[in-house]
Amino acid sequence: MRIVNFIRNSIYSLLSFALISLFGIYIRKLFTQNLPIELLGLEGLFSSIVSILSLAELGISYVINYSLYKALANDDKEEVNVLMNIYRYMYRLIGSFVLVVSVALYFFLPNIIREQNIPWNYVELVYFIQIATVLSTYFIAYKRTLFAADQKDYISIKIDTICKIAANIVRILAIVCFQSYVLYALTALFFNILANLIITYKVNKTYDFIKPVKVNIDDMRNRNFFKDIKNFLIHKIAYILYGGADSIIVTAFLGLQIAGLMANYLLIHTGIYTILYKCFQGIVPSLGNLVYSETKEKSFKVYKTLDLLYTLFGAYICCMYILFFQKFILLFFGSDFLLSDTYILMLGINVFLSMQFENACNYRNTYGSFEKDRLYMVLSAVSKVVIAMILIKEYGIAGLMIGTVAGLAFIIYGRIIIVFKYILNQSISKYLFRHLIYSAIIVAEILIIRQVITFVNMPLSYNSLILEGILATVFMMLVNVIVFYKTEEFRELLSYVTNIIGIVKQKIQI
């Protein structure tokens, strides 16, 4: 039943995300054609502020989810009820705190937004609409966690998808017919609340044993919530500063227009990265069992195989970014919406490094003990923000990505230390040298493919973009097969793929 739920959740999640992403890209194009680009920058800025405000969540959802898995597996309804009431109590406190902080931050907005093209009362209204959307999550959306923990997330996904489709249709009307960003923002708020209310109703109906009960500090202390939250909090703070400050930095130093242009790139980048994450997230749950039930030799063998898989995928996406991202932006949005080639180069490098070492992140998350690498997380956030603020003055938005890559290096190294020192007991230097070789091979591949694409010199069009993409894909696959075929890791990958195809064929026949 777990496998059936996993497949069903994954299929619903991927299909929903693909559909909503296509809507999102189309709406973004309409946005750029009908509304000032500064409004897109404003949306990105407030999204960054919302991301930072999510720090108040303290990682409580992570801790509650972890506890719910065990309670649901043991069919301990009383414990599930207590956990959900703790969740409700803490989220109401957090929601109240976020409201107070949001009002306080409002008075600092003039120090960040210096554009004169947008009326200030318009900025105020949009800000509080965005904050209301966040608050609705804390006060009415927390119950959806129960579906996720009980492997019934497909129920939430179906409801979310229907509401998002309806919201996107109204958003199109708001942009094209009324050219109103306020209506556009209010639509997101309304349908977000509607989806959460429907999901809450479904949860109450499915888990009718969930009833209000009094909870206190002792209930939380007895479940080690405060210890777990403390250990996870520094990671959360650092990661939010590392990943959530981009629009704020760009708006403060380069203005809302550049922030708006960046939002188009990030929309596509986030969509691609999320699809990759959804494709690979099924691997993660099995790693915990592997690490704690098998020998370190077996764990290391699997690690190397998955490591090669992530590296090859990261290399492919990096190649597509460097060769075709700018061309797609030019075709879809127009030349006025292009950022520098250096920004795309650094974005591609960031994707490659992130994917190349994503397997280390997966293994690291099976270990816990977040205090062991919290220093590296802090260094990543500090270095990213400081380097970005220094270089953005000299190199523009490319300086932001240089800071991002520099900060990522600390995150990667911290994860590697945990995995190789405490989980696998293997040599870090040998591992890093192997990845240095991988990286050199990938750089050579991309340079050759770039020369071939330049030599072919097809006229810019969607058809030529597709043909060039196919050419690059085939070339990279052939080279990687030739280079890695004799390695043990590549043969293991082929074995896994063969087994998966066999299982799928068997299911289809049944």
Side-chain angles (χ1 to χ4, degrees):
M1 190 61 184
R2 283 195 297 253
I3 295 176
V4 173
N5 284 334
F6 163 71
I7 294 173
R8 181 162 49 187
N9 288 335
S10 297
I11 292 174
Y12 271 96
S13 181
L14 280 170
L15 291 177
S16 172
F17 182 79
L19 180 61
I20 299 303
S21 294
L22 291 174
F23 254 115
I25 293 173
Y26 179 66
I27 290 173
R28 182 57 55 83
K29 182 175 183 178
L30 293 178
F31 196 115
T32 58
Q33 291 174 342
N34 293 275
L35 294 172
I37 191 66
E38 286 82 3
L39 290 177
L40 200 56
L42 192 67
E43 183 177 54
L45 169 64
F46 290 157
S47 295
S48 290
I49 292 174
V50 165
S51 175
I52 292 175
L53 286 175
S54 69
L55 175 62
E57 198 265 349
L58 303 175
I60 290 170
S61 60
Y62 174 86
V63 176
I64 292 289
N65 281 346
Y66 185 84
S67 303
L68 279 172
Y69 293 141
K70 182 178 180 180
L72 288 167
N74 296 330
D75 197 26
D76 189 346
K77 295 180 179 179
E78 182 179 349
E79 178 66 7
V80 172
N81 191 40
V82 171
L83 289 170
M84 292 306 295
N85 275 275
I86 291 174
Y87 206 176
R88 180 188 63 177
Y89 173 75
M90 298 188 77
Y91 258 37
R92 285 182 177 178
L93 287 178
I94 292 168
S96 301
F97 175 76
V98 168
L99 176 60
V100 173
V101 173
S102 301
V103 173
L105 284 175
Y106 159 76
F107 296 101
F108 292 92
L109 289 180
N111 296 322
I112 301 174
I113 303 172
R114 300 175 182 176
E115 304 284 337
Q116 302 297 321
N117 297 337
I118 305 175
W120 189 250
N121 58 347
Y122 202 82
V123 173
E124 294 173 326
L125 181 58
V126 172
Y127 175 73
F128 284 110
I129 290 173
Q130 294 275 25
I131 296 303
T133 305
V134 177
L135 293 177
S136 69
T137 301
Y138 289 117
F139 288 104
I140 61 176
Y142 68 94
K143 283 191 176 181
R144 65 168 60 225
T145 301
L146 198 48
F147 275 146
D150 202 20
Q151 292 188 302
K152 296 177 181 177
D153 205 27
Y154 62 91
I155 299 175
S156 298
I157 293 170
K158 284 195 293 185
I159 296 169
D160 282 335
T161 302
I162 293 171
C163 288
K164 285 179 180 177
I165 290 173
N168 284 331
I169 292 173
V170 178
R171 278 178 155 184
I172 291 172
L173 294 175
I175 294 172
V176 177
C177 298
F178 301 100
Q179 295 187 337
S180 171
Y181 181 74
V182 172
L183 180 58
Y184 172 92
L186 283 172
T187 299
L189 172 61
F190 173 78
F191 281 99
N192 181 59
I193 292 174
L194 179 62
N196 287 323
L197 287 175
I198 296 173
I199 291 170
T200 298
Y201 170 77
K202 290 283 189 180
V203 170
N204 291 339
K205 191 174 180 180
T206 306
Y207 307 94
D208 55 7
F209 58 86
I210 302 295
K211 305 293 182 184
V213 296
K214 287 187 178 181
V215 293
N216 53 44
I217 298 298
D218 288 335
D219 291 320
M220 304 175 202
R221 187 179 292 114
N222 293 336
R223 291 166 176 80
N224 293 322
F225 281 171
F226 297 114
K227 179 182 177 182
D228 291 337
I229 289 171
K230 180 189 71 173
N231 291 335
F232 190 72
L233 181 58
I234 293 177
H235 278 256
K236 188 173 179 67
I237 294 172
Y239 205 76
I240 286 176
L241 289 177
Y242 171 81
D246 287 9
S247 290
I248 296 176
I249 294 173
V250 172
T251 301
F253 285 89
L254 303 177
L256 282 174
Q257 184 176 11
I258 300 299
L261 297 179
M262 183 181 71
N264 290 333
Y265 284 77
L266 293 183
L267 174 72
I268 299 169
H269 165 67
T270 303
I272 293 171
Y273 210 79
T274 303
I275 289 174
L276 289 174
Y277 172 77
K278 290 181 182 295
C279 288
F280 287 114
Q281 67 182 1
I283 296 174
V284 179
S286 63
L287 293 182
N289 180 265
L290 172 72
V291 168
Y292 293 107
S293 64
E294 299 287 351
T295 63
K296 293 186 182 299
E297 288 73 20
K298 173 67 173 177
S299 295
F300 186 49
K301 182 179 180 180
V302 174
Y303 183 93
K304 289 190 294 182
T305 301
L306 292 176
D307 215 39
L308 179 60
L309 176 64
Y310 277 107
T311 299
L312 294 180
F313 264 96
Y316 176 72
I317 300 301
C318 177
C319 179
M320 295 299 106
Y321 272 39
I322 291 174
L323 297 181
F324 306 118
F325 208 130
Q326 290 284 68
K327 292 182 179 181
F328 178 79
I329 294 291
L330 180 59
L331 281 171
F332 196 79
F333 293 106
S335 58
D336 292 337
F337 296 87
L338 287 173
L339 292 174
S340 69
D341 291 339
T342 308
Y343 173 76
I344 280 295
L345 174 63
M346 297 307 300
L347 186 62
I349 292 172
N350 187 65
V351 168
F352 176 56
L353 291 175
S354 298
M355 285 296 295
Q356 187 179 17
F357 295 100
E358 182 68 17
N359 193 41
C361 174
N362 293 339
Y363 269 74
R364 188 262 170 275
N365 287 340
T366 68
Y367 183 72
S369 299
F370 291 101
E371 72 278 2
K372 293 186 182 297
D373 58 343
R374 61 190 177 193
L375 174 61
Y376 295 99
M377 290 300 299
V378 172
L379 288 174
S380 73
V382 172
S383 61
K384 184 262 176 70
V385 172
V386 171
I387 293 173
M389 291 177 69
I390 292 174
L391 296 184
I392 201 169
K393 297 178 181 178
E394 182 70 23
Y395 301 104
I397 197 166
L400 176 74
M401 284 308 305
I402 294 172
T404 300
V405 173
L408 179 63
F410 286 106
I411 297 176
I412 290 171
Y413 191 67
R415 290 169 177 171
I416 291 172
I417 286 179
I418 295 295
V419 172
F420 281 80
K421 183 176 181 180
Y422 298 102
I423 300 178
L424 300 176
N425 296 134
Q426 297 289 332
S427 169
I428 295 177
S429 58
K430 289 182 179 179
Y431 172 74
L432 291 177
F433 180 74
R434 182 166 67 248
H435 273 280
L436 183 63
I437 299 298
Y438 285 169
S439 299
I441 293 171
I442 298 308
V443 168
E445 288 181 19
I446 294 175
L447 288 175
I448 293 172
I449 294 172
R450 187 174 185 178
Q451 287 298 111
V452 172
I453 296 296
T454 302
F455 177 78
V456 173
N457 193 27
M458 298 178 69
L460 184 63
S461 68
Y462 287 112
N463 289 333
S464 65
L465 204 62
I466 294 172
L467 289 174
E468 288 175 350
I470 293 172
L471 176 65
T473 301
V474 171
F475 181 86
M476 181 165 267
M477 288 179 65
L478 288 175
V479 172
N480 286 334
V481 169
I482 294 170
V483 172
F484 295 104
Y485 181 75
K486 292 186 178 181
T487 65
E488 180 184 1
E489 295 83 6
F490 193 84
R491 291 183 178 273
E492 285 290 326
L493 278 179
L494 290 179
S495 176
Y496 287 144
V497 171
T498 303
N499 289 337
I500 291 171
I501 292 173
I503 292 172
V504 171
K505 284 183 177 180
Q506 186 179 15
K507 293 292 183 182
I508 293 174
Q509 291 173 356
I510 292 174

